[in-house]
Amino acid sequence: MFLSLRTDVAGALSDALATLDVETTDPGIEDPPESVDAVLASSVAFRLAAEVGAPPPQIAGDLAAAIDPSAYDYIGEVSQEGPYVNFHPSQAYYDDTLQTAGGEGFGRLDRKDETVVVEHTSANPTGPVHVGRARNPIVGDALANVLDFAGYDVSRHYYVNDAGRQMAVFTWAYETFEESDLPEPARDRGDYDLVRYYRKGNEFLEEASEAEQRAVETEISAILEGLEAGDEATYDRVNEVVEGVLSGMRESLSRLPVDFDEFVKETRFIRDGSTEDLVSRLKETDYAVYEEDAWQLDLPSFEKNLVFLRSDGTSLYTTRDLAHHEWKFANFDHAVTVLGEDHKLQAEQLRETLDILGNDIDKLDSVYYSWINLPEGGMSTREGTGVDLDDLLDESIERAREEVQSRLDTRIRDDELDDGDVARIARQVGIGAVRYDIVAKQPAKSITFEWERALDFEAQSAPYVQYVHARTCGILDEAEGIDEIPETVDASQLTTDAERELLEVVARFPAVVERAADELAPHVVATYTRTFAEAFNAFYRECPVLSAEGEVRRQRLALVAAARRTVANALGLLGVAAPESM
């Protein structure tokens, strides 16, 4: 209803400005100052003062007087305070919010005739998913959820680097070393098994003599050249390693859970000829130069050239990614890529190159994220000294289980949960804590993951918000068989400040989805859930539900049902489970 109210406000301001013979393209709609008891306000009077030749408070008063609230469904009252025109909702606003918020799809926006491909994670298949890169799938998955809920037709892609030097080294090492040369795998899974070969290969190359290194480099070059030439045997050799590692990585990501519609491989754009075609077109541009035994682009906006073809005729990652992005443009209306901040230069060079090639780069957006650190210090997959995502999730689940069990041990109520319930809640809370703590921060800001904060049931964390959902479920479960949620609601029965505040927060959820999608910022939803939890907890403290009587009880149950659906949908966008008990 908030979006509908905003539409009414925009229309009312437009009509009022017309009656004052004033034209403006921006009615200045915003949240009101904290001192103003309204849902929306307009500061347009500030901008019109010079044009009209009157002080802003006078203009605001004239605008307020020119608006007839009865002409609009959701405007109940218009007031003026200083330079602001303030809009108060009608009873229909509250009734319709209460009526619609209990529906399963509450917050979902109308479908748009627009396709969006969201590429995220895309970690090199060289070993298990590493904590330092875990922000990518968590942010990327939440962003895809938000865009889908905002009405876009979303495809989720993982771009697989199966054509670069790392995979050639990996393939050589896998075919060279024996099981007896390797340590035991950390887990019985493909990625943990195969990463041992990758690490062993890198150790060998670091310690090898010059003659040994030359011999190995010849083999690695042969693999790269075979891939570039489309040699099926070479492709099959590399693919055996790639698929073995990816199978394990998919298992780790599914624990978050994160799923993909398609794993798009780099070699696809070599094998279908699009990389070769792209190289030919790049050579024909005014920016192409052959320097230092390589074809490069001397891009206007960058000091460093972009190398797109080696002297031996093999392409580079960015070259193939250019072909990949042209494929995206041909198949989707919009492309969003989630990238680590260390890829920003490469992404900006790619964007400028796509522009030079005549592509519509307005169709492309990049979301950059900074690193996740653990208090223990640095992490490195290649050296085998880092912390894997599986380790983080295991520890989070175990810590959550201990916290849940300790809370059960102090409960007075005789409705103890069995071991299966405790395990379920620990998994929901533990994984939810990891996802929420990571997605709740603006991606560009680096974060240090801290257990005490992430698993704090009392602070603004995942358990804090999840507990609100569990509490709504508990209230509705206790009421079952005594009262039914009324089919026709009457929000006029909800008169306290706490009730109205919760209703207003519920009503804003669709607008939060809209903003998060427009700004490609899923952390906006996380911020909303904290505001929501505070509003619900205030309602819970001040407005008894089960001990209330008559119509007040029934309407409060309707409000609890609306709250349950709202917080469940919001947590769902973040990829965080909404437990029914905790």
Side-chain angles (χ1 to χ4, degrees):
M1 294 307 105
F2 182 83
L3 293 176
S4 298
L5 172 61
R6 193 176 66 190
T7 299
D8 278 358
V9 167
L13 285 167
S14 177
D15 292 342
L17 288 165
T19 64
L20 300 181
D21 199 24
V22 175
E23 292 185 6
T24 178
T25 58
D26 181 7
I29 300 173
E30 59 188 55
D31 290 337
E34 290 186 9
S35 61
V36 176
D37 180 21
V39 172
L40 286 171
S42 171
S43 60
V44 70
F46 280 112
R47 294 198 311 277
L48 297 178
E51 179 182 348
V52 176
Q58 178 182 326
I59 298 171
D62 291 342
L63 287 171
I67 296 173
D68 176 10
S70 65
Y72 305 93
D73 291 335
Y74 294 121
I75 299 176
E77 179 185 346
V78 180
S79 65
Q80 175 245 335
E81 184 168 330
Y84 290 95
V85 183
N86 304 310
F87 296 86
H88 309 259
S90 65
Q91 185 59 44
Y93 176 81
Y94 293 108
D95 285 339
D96 288 355
T97 295
L98 192 58
Q99 188 74 55
T100 60
E104 182 176 351
F106 178 64
R108 183 177 286 278
L109 306 184
D110 292 339
R111 299 306 299 178
K112 299 174 176 62
D113 186 20
E114 186 171 350
T115 57
V116 180
V117 56
V118 178
E119 179 203 329
H120 68 82
T121 308
S122 301
N124 291 338
T126 53
V129 180
H130 187 254
V131 166
R133 296 288 182 180
R135 201 169 188 178
N136 197 316
I138 290 171
V139 172
D141 186 62
L143 178 56
N145 293 341
V146 165
L147 289 169
D148 175 75
F149 218 65
Y152 295 93
D153 182 0
V154 177
S155 293
R156 305 153 193 258
H157 286 190
Y158 187 122
Y159 186 48
V160 183
N161 179 357
D162 66 334
R165 175 181 166 79
Q166 284 182 309
M167 297 317 302
V169 171
F170 204 155
T171 302
W172 161 79
Y174 178 67
E175 296 173 348
T176 299
F177 298 104
E178 302 292 337
E179 176 72 26
S180 58
D181 298 326
L182 309 171
E184 288 294 313
R187 295 175 188 252
D188 184 18
R189 214 174 66 194
D191 48 347
Y192 288 92
D193 175 32
L194 290 168
V195 72
R196 299 175 300 156
Y197 293 92
Y198 182 65
R199 291 170 179 162
K200 181 68 176 179
N202 279 288
E203 289 171 5
F204 178 88
L205 287 171
E206 288 178 357
E207 299 170 1
S209 66
E210 288 187 13
E212 289 173 324
Q213 287 183 353
R214 284 196 298 271
V216 173
E217 288 298 334
T218 299
E219 295 186 49
I220 292 171
S221 295
I223 293 171
L224 289 172
E225 290 168 8
L227 289 174
E228 201 77 26
D231 179 67
E232 287 294 332
T234 304
Y235 174 79
D236 289 343
R237 290 164 61 196
V238 174
N239 195 54
E240 182 179 357
V241 174
V242 170
E243 286 298 328
V245 175
L246 277 179
S247 66
M249 296 174 77
R250 280 194 287 262
E251 287 190 42
S252 287
L253 294 168
S254 69
R255 297 181 66 188
L256 283 170
V258 171
D259 295 309
F260 295 89
D261 296 307
E262 189 171 354
F263 285 77
V264 181
K265 293 183 176 178
E266 275 187 280
T267 49
R268 170 179 185 163
F269 304 104
I270 296 174
R271 291 153 68 87
D272 68 5
S274 56
T275 299
E276 183 178 2
D277 174 71
L278 184 135
V279 166
S280 297
R281 287 186 286 130
L282 289 176
K283 287 181 178 180
E284 294 173 359
T285 68
D286 295 336
Y287 307 95
V289 294
Y290 189 82
E291 297 177 354
E292 299 178 357
D293 294 327
W295 279 98
Q296 307 178 36
L297 288 182
D298 184 4
L299 298 173
S301 304
F302 300 91
E303 293 183 9
K304 184 178 179 180
N305 285 0
L306 174 67
V307 178
F308 64 89
L309 194 68
R310 300 185 185 93
S311 58
D312 61 5
T314 56
S315 59
L316 288 87
Y317 176 90
T318 304
T319 322
R320 299 183 290 272
D321 202 20
L322 286 163
H324 172 215
H325 275 76
E326 290 197 325
W327 171 80
K328 288 183 185 180
F329 292 161
N331 290 278
F332 300 93
D333 298 317
H334 201 80
V336 179
T337 311
V338 181
L339 295 164
E341 61 185 5
D342 57 328
H343 292 283
K344 190 169 185 178
L345 172 62
Q346 176 184 303
E348 290 176 347
Q349 287 182 317
L350 179 142
R351 184 182 185 88
E352 185 162 316
T353 304
L354 288 168
D355 190 26
I356 288 170
L357 290 170
N359 295 281
D360 180 5
I361 57 173
D362 288 338
K363 297 174 67 173
L364 176 62
D365 281 300
S366 297
V367 176
Y368 299 104
Y369 66 91
S370 188
W371 310 120
I372 299 173
N373 299 306
L374 297 180
E376 290 75 16
M379 298 172 281
S380 169
T381 300
R382 194 175 73 82
E383 297 295 334
T385 59
V387 178
D388 296 319
L389 176 62
D390 288 307
D391 298 330
L392 180 69
L393 296 180
D394 286 348
E395 184 164 353
S396 189
I397 292 169
E398 178 56 28
R399 286 176 180 251
R401 188 195 64 76
E402 292 172 359
E403 178 66 24
V404 170
Q405 190 61 59
S406 70
R407 287 172 171 268
L408 284 175
D409 293 342
T410 60
R411 279 169 56 152
I412 299 175
R413 290 168 53 188
D414 188 26
D415 57 347
E416 298 300 323
L417 304 176
D418 60 28
D419 290 345
D421 292 326
V422 172
R424 170 184 55 79
I425 295 169
R427 184 174 62 255
Q428 291 176 322
V429 172
I431 293 177
V434 171
R435 285 198 62 139
Y436 190 93
D437 196 64
I438 290 171
V439 79
K441 311 297 189 304
Q442 292 186 31
K445 295 183 178 180
S446 62
I447 60 173
T448 298
F449 184 85
E450 296 175 348
W451 298 109
E452 291 75 15
R453 180 189 66 230
L455 287 166
D456 191 340
F457 279 62
E458 309 302 329
Q460 293 185 336
S461 60
Y464 176 73
V465 180
Q466 288 174 310
Y467 196 74
V468 167
H469 182 265
R471 180 165 274 166
T472 63
C473 292
I475 292 170
L476 294 171
D477 285 346
E478 286 195 48
E480 188 176 1
I482 302 172
D483 283 303
E484 293 183 355
I485 298 169
E487 291 185 10
T488 302
V489 300
D490 180 8
S492 66
Q493 299 291 327
L494 307 174
T495 59
T496 69
D497 290 344
E499 289 166 321
R500 286 298 164 122
E501 175 63 24
L502 180 55
L503 261 176
E504 288 173 4
V505 173
V506 167
R508 284 177 178 265
F509 179 51
V512 170
V513 174
E514 180 187 67
R515 179 188 165 197
D518 288 347
E519 298 179 7
L520 302 178
H523 70 273
V524 167
V525 179
T527 300
Y528 170 79
T529 63
R530 294 194 291 268
T531 301
F532 180 93
E534 291 170 357
F536 182 84
N537 287 335
F539 161 78
Y540 181 79
R541 288 191 304 269
E542 299 172 24
C543 304
V545 178
L546 297 175
S547 62
E549 297 180 351
E551 198 60 26
V552 170
R553 172 188 169 102
R554 285 163 52 80
Q555 298 304 326
R556 285 181 179 173
L557 282 172
L559 181 54
V560 172
R564 177 177 64 174
R565 177 59 61 191
T566 303
V567 72
N569 287 355
L571 286 172
L573 295 182
L574 302 175
V576 175
E580 295 184 2
S581 58
M582 285 179 67

